[in-house]
Amino acid sequence: MCGIVGYVGARPALSIVLDGLRRLEYRGYDSAGVAMIGDGALLTCKRAGKLGNLEKALTEGAADDVTAGIALGTTGIGHTRWATHGGPTDRNAHPHRSTNGRVAVIHNGIIENFARLRAELEAAGVEFVSDTDTECAAHLLEHELASVRAEETARSASPSGGARGAEPSAGLAAAMRRVCQRLEGAFTLLAVDVDTPDVVVGARRNSPLVVGRGQGENYLASDVSAFIEHTRDAVELGQDQVVLITPDRIEITDFDGNEAIGKDFHVDWDASAAEKGGYDYFMLKEIAEQPRAVADTLRGRLGEAGELMLDEMRITEQDLRDVDKIFIVACGTAYHAGLVAKYAIEHWTRIPCEVELASEFRYRDPVLDRSTLVVAISQSGETMDTLMALRHAKEQKARVLAICNTNGSTIPRESDAVLYTHAGPEVAVASTKAFLTQLVACYLVGLHLAQVRGVKYADEVGAVLTQLQAMPAAIEQVLETMEPVRELGRELARARSVLFIGRHVGYPVALEGALKLKELAYMHAEGFAAGELKHGPIALIDEGCPVICVVPSPVGRAVLHDKVMSNIQEVRARGARTIVIAERGDEAVRPYADHLIEVPPTPTLLTPLVTTVPLQVLACEIATARGHDVDQPRNLAKSVTVE
Ligand code: F6R
């Protein structure tokens, strides 16, 4: 949600900022704008709709002073806005300027006390020109900047003070700190001020912001993909920090002005990893990348003594041995990964494991203490619901382990241990490769716990690892046989509704299949535990209703397999058209499948790694056949940074 880019250096800022915004488009937005300091003036341009509208406005205005000035700027900020306060109009698009027009601000998040601040500013005579919460910050910044400068002038004029005045560029950072102290809620703010033309100031509380370290130039952005083509050296900011960048300086303080140190990190993927690579959509590319993503997430996990390794570990082995309850908190697709994890973790560790929607977790007062392990799963590492659940858990003294795909993001930074999924950048809004790598990470966490607690011997853990190592090839095999699934997708594009059923780990797969179809094809789709059908949902089945059935392996858990077979017959008896995903060689299902999608034989707990893939392909094909952009479905944002 909302993409933010800032640049200061010697090159024209406009194209750098626009390119950065393009790379952040995947986050979801409905208007865009830029502010540049060029030729001694602060100039802004903003438009509702996609970036193309903004670029058109900039091109059409090429002859006017604003656009000419914008093109000259070497300091600038840009924003893609996902509307919260006020509709997606030109007027509400960011940047917002203060009354005197000398300061411009962009913002991601929600300023929760904005109504009070707005009333106070209006009472003082400020006229608002938008419906946004952000505009308050612009006016407050103008006001605080004037105070900081007046105080500085007074200090340097006093006989005792100011032989050496404060660095003029520091005024904007000082004013920003004061503004932040007045704001409640979640925010990333960037600001530029015409009187300090080589400076961009940023602030963050709860919303994402990273610094890109260049040579004679520096960047600020919501995530590294915005500046990855210019630099892969980045600096992670902490909570409640203000950062000032100039072409050759990066200065970080907390909101009280105390110096703070950012954490340097190097991004291990490059710009080409975030390009479409010949595919029509990022989603298609990301589905195809799954074998590689799973292999990368598994790579290097065994230590010298045969122990499983996470990426960051600030929990002692004794603490892990003391864990008596696990909560998994996550949202959407990541929640479905958590549902699968429950089966594996409980089976391997014998520790009770609950899976909770992060948005519900803290409001129901869960029972947590220092022997509870909370596993937070998040691709972006910035999902506000998950972050708030994590913080609640920490307040109750629980240990938190993050499974995350985004280095430098907030959730891993605030966790006691981290396991990174090495999926690489996931650009399409609908999660695919992140889901499969989250599953792998969950299996690894389960095995790690089992090993540390002595419930599984190294050779048993090794045996599961060997099965996991075989999964990239199995996923590849599934991908190679997807043409009939695509054909089926084109046929199903006319369906009114599609139902999904599964049992055991096939149940979360059914939920995930339905979620993909809803979000991409805007079609009614629902996933059910197959055994629940007869308790109500079976009433939905009528003649020709497509029901996608995820069938467990007949090997090992034959009872599960047979139960799902019965459920398939129940829906067929009521006219359903059955699309069955089953293990290759499972001849028993063939007579009951109107369409059979075969996947390679796989150990029961690991089957979601193969059974999910056809559902991703199917949803993508149905959506494309219905004429939708699968990378940016309507109303959705990649990184959901509001609660
Ligand atoms: C669905 C999807 C979302 C995310 C959810 C959590 O395809 O992508 O449901 O899974 O918003 O996002 P993260 O994993 O970034 O916390």
Side-chain angles (χ1 to χ4, degrees), residues 331-334 377-381 383 429-431 438 515-516 519 640:
C331 305
T333 289
I377 309 177
S378 174
Q379 187 285 130
S380 60
T383 300
V429 165
S431 196
Q438 284 163 353
L515 176 61
K516 288 282 100 75
E519 64 183 335
V640 185

Side-chain angles (χ1 to χ4, degrees), residues 202-220:
R204 76 169 291 260
R205 166 178 288 165
N206 293 337
S207 293
L209 183 63
V210 284
V211 185
R213 197 189 280 283
Q215 299 281 333
E217 56 187 16
N218 286 307
Y219 306 80
L220 289 169

